Every structure is written in C-alpha cells, then in structure tokens.
Amino acid sequence: MKTQFTAFEGNGSVSFEMDQSTASIRYTPEGATYTYNVPNAEATVSEFNRVEGEGGSIGSLVSQCRKNQSLVEITA
C-alpha cells in the first residue's frame, strides 16, 4: 500500500508519504522530514485521508498519532 498527499497549513505544507508500514512526513518551508513506523497502517492512512478530506489539521493529527503510538518515530 502506497499513499501520498500534501496538505497546506498556515504558511507551509505537510507532505505525507507511506509505503508498507513506514511513513515519511515533511514539513515545508522548514524542510524537516520525520520517519515513522506505522503499526496499523490501514487505520492510520484512513484517518489521515479523513482529516485531509475534511480540511482538518494534519499537524494536529500527527501530534495525536504520536501520543497514541499509531506513529512511532524512527530515530537514527
């Protein structure tokens, strides 16, 4: 499963790309990219698509997903 979209928020954008159980989220104009393990990929993609489709805040969703462990940051 590969999913990709870009949502515009405030003065920048959030790009979301997921392949299998790994998601990359890039914030612009900052240029910061974060990589996450996604334990339940189908549910997480569904939630991102719902929020993006409703014009909700992807940044807030990322924060919520990190708290509930549906996105687990991969660190070097």
Side-chain angles (χ1 to χ4, degrees):
M1 168 191 347
K2 184 164 185 158
T3 302
Q4 228 175 327
F5 67 81
T6 299
F8 296 94
E9 296 191 351
N11 294 329
S13 65
V14 179
S15 298
F16 175 87
E17 183 174 333
M18 185 163 156
D19 194 5
Q20 301 300 327
S21 63
T22 302
S24 292
I25 300 174
R26 180 176 174 82
Y27 296 91
T28 55
E30 297 87 6
T33 301
Y34 301 92
T35 305
Y36 299 93
N37 182 38
V38 186
N40 186 345
E42 188 173 318
T44 301
V45 167
S46 177
E47 187 66 7
F48 269 82
N49 287 331
R50 181 190 66 75
V51 169
E52 193 269 337
E54 293 174 356
S57 172
I58 297 298
S60 293
L61 179 59
V62 169
S63 179
Q64 175 187 343
C65 287
R66 290 183 67 183
K67 288 177 187 172
N68 70 20
Q69 298 290 299
S70 53
L71 289 175
V72 180
E73 190 170 6
I74 298 171
T75 56

